[in-house]
Amino acid sequence: MSASSAVSQPHSASPNRVLLALMPVALAALGWLDIASVQPNRIVPGQGMNLWAIMGPAGVLLALLPLAVGGLAWRATTLRMRWALCLVVLAMLALPFGLAAFCRAFIDPDAPYARVGLAAGFWVLLFVFMLALIEFKASLRLPRGSWWGLGALMLGAWSLSLASGALDKLALMQEYLGRSDKFSEALVYHSLLVTSAVGLSLVMGFALALAMRRWPLLERGINGVLSLIQTIPSLALFGLLLAPLAWLADRYEWLSALGVQGIGAAPALIALVGYSLLPMTRNTFVALGDVDTGIIESARGMGMSPSQIFLQVRLPLALPVMIEGVRITSIQAIGLAAVAALIGAGGLGTFVFQGLGQAAMDLVLLGALPIIAMAVIVDGLLTALAGALRQGVRHD
């Protein structure tokens, strides 16, 4: 019996193997890895500190948390799993306040350039706790909206710590504070680039899917071309677009006036749309074709016209699968938009590549973490939307 089915039954006592595998990793991170480091400035490497160096013997108490979660997961009844969830959520809520206390304790107020770096142990713990939350979400049947509430609670803890200035001495925050205006511009630009690419690919993918349904002979050719685009590495595709776009901008002034050139947003947008078309077109085509023929025949028997059947029956029933295509495309575009910074497209990828060039990992994180957060948020929202649409279809 799987762990998920075990916890869904109140009297079951099967172990949750996922949590039992994760908690030793958390325990090892607490015991052997550095949690944070103290840097005198941006250039000099920091001195790593493990849990013992930070808290002394009192740090042993923190080790009780993964042990407790593992103990509860050994007999994973619903009640015990809920207690384990509470412990993990408390740990996630404590992380920002623990970092704030570390900054106060180990950073000299008279050292203006001193900063706190996040070491491997912190990232391992954060990753383990997030995986644990994913397992809880799959295993526990909580009331609708509970997970969004827990997410808002954890986000609120981080927001409170950041807004109060308690985390200003984090190296990551130091990088942000020195580039706050550029960061805001990059975040907005990255979002607009992704939104534009997804919107264009949605319109084009929908049109291509309709054409494939109307003329079946086009299916193999369209799928072949879109699959070929997928096989081209992103940097190679950006490079292939440089020369023709530069030539077009030089030959046609109106294109140059629109901002089309060999580098920048134009090749980035074209490449993102190209990569997005295959999942968008394929999901739309499959979604429209998988509608139950019995429902279509019933609608036709009721006297509906072909356009009414499409708009009122086929399209609403296909929407959940189409949303899955939008979700896949959006997550892919969020990541690829970062690579587009190499051709001057801007966005959050600029910080990633600047950080790599300067060997400044906190600058890399300044660009990478918002990209990850954006992908997770978009994935959660579109997954919830697809689920809501499926529920609506069932009720109808």
Side-chain angles (χ1 to χ4, degrees):
M1 183 182 295
S2 66
S4 298
S5 61
V7 296
S8 63
Q9 299 175 11
H11 301 293
S12 176
S14 299
N16 186 296
R17 294 178 179 85
V18 175
L19 293 178
L20 290 176
L22 289 175
M23 291 307 110
V25 178
L27 193 61
L30 288 170
W32 286 283
L33 296 179
D34 290 336
I35 304 298
S37 63
V38 177
Q39 302 172 235
N41 52 55
R42 187 173 186 263
I43 301 173
V44 178
Q47 177 185 356
M49 302 180 68
N50 58 23
L51 188 62
W52 184 268
I54 296 171
M55 299 183 64
V60 177
L61 296 175
L62 288 182
L64 297 177
L65 188 141
L67 289 174
V69 174
L72 291 168
W74 184 255
R75 297 185 62 191
T77 62
T78 301
L79 179 61
R80 291 166 67 91
M81 287 292 284
R82 288 182 175 178
W83 278 110
L85 171 62
C86 292
L87 290 176
V88 172
V89 170
L90 286 175
M92 292 288 282
L93 292 175
L95 281 178
F97 301 109
L99 283 175
F102 181 89
C103 293
R104 288 195 303 269
F106 291 95
I107 295 296
D108 186 355
D110 297 327
Y113 301 107
R115 53 184 61 195
V116 170
L118 301 175
F122 174 85
W123 296 113
V124 171
L125 286 173
L126 183 62
F127 185 63
V128 165
F129 289 150
M130 291 182 68
L131 288 178
L133 289 175
I134 293 173
E135 172 60 18
F136 285 124
K137 187 175 186 298
S139 302
L140 289 174
R141 296 180 180 178
L142 297 182
R144 182 176 295 182
S146 298
W147 293 106
W148 288 106
L150 290 175
L153 190 63
M154 289 182 279
L155 181 62
W158 281 99
S159 300
L160 179 62
S161 300
L162 292 170
S164 66
L167 298 179
D168 284 354
K169 283 299 182 179
L170 284 181
L172 184 60
M173 279 300 296
Q174 292 287 305
E175 298 290 351
Y176 167 76
L177 292 173
R179 300 170 175 81
S180 57
D181 292 339
K182 292 182 179 178
F183 178 84
S184 300
E185 293 175 2
L187 182 61
V188 172
Y189 186 88
H190 198 103
S191 303
L192 288 175
L193 183 61
V194 170
T195 303
S196 302
V198 173
L200 286 173
S201 65
L202 176 60
V203 174
M204 295 174 65
F206 190 77
L208 289 173
L210 291 181
M212 289 161 59
R213 286 185 53 80
R214 179 66 177 82
W215 299 287
L217 291 177
L218 294 177
E219 181 179 352
R220 178 175 295 182
I222 291 175
N223 282 329
V225 172
L226 297 183
S227 298
L228 176 63
I229 295 174
Q230 287 283 333
T231 63
I232 303 174
S234 56
L235 288 179
L237 184 56
F238 291 141
L240 290 173
L241 291 171
L242 294 181
L245 288 176
W247 179 82
L248 288 172
D250 182 65
R251 185 174 179 85
Y252 301 102
E253 293 184 0
W254 63 273
L255 287 176
S256 180
L258 290 174
V260 175
Q261 52 185 339
I263 61 174
L269 183 60
I270 293 173
L272 290 176
V273 171
Y275 281 121
S276 301
L277 277 176
L278 180 63
M280 194 74 78
T281 304
R282 183 171 292 173
N283 271 59
T284 303
F285 180 78
V286 170
L288 293 174
D290 281 353
V291 177
D292 190 347
T293 55
I295 298 177
I296 302 299
E297 290 300 326
S298 297
R300 189 175 290 117
M302 294 171 62
M304 285 187 172
S305 66
S307 60
Q308 288 176 322
I309 292 174
F310 180 80
L311 293 175
Q312 299 179 28
V313 179
R314 188 180 294 275
L315 186 58
L317 292 174
L319 271 180
V321 179
M322 291 174 60
I323 293 297
E324 286 296 320
V326 176
R327 182 182 67 84
I328 295 169
T329 300
S330 300
I331 295 172
Q332 176 179 272
I334 289 170
L336 286 175
V339 182
L342 286 174
I343 58 168
L348 294 168
T350 303
F351 300 120
V352 174
F353 294 111
Q354 284 180 356
L356 291 174
Q358 301 172 20
M361 291 310 299
D362 292 295
L363 185 54
V364 173
L365 291 174
L366 183 63
L369 290 178
I371 292 173
I372 296 171
M374 193 182 301
V376 170
I377 292 171
V378 168
D379 177 68
L381 290 175
L382 291 179
T383 299
L385 177 59
L389 290 173
R390 287 192 181 93
Q391 290 291 335
V393 169
R394 292 193 190 102
H395 291 157
D396 292 343

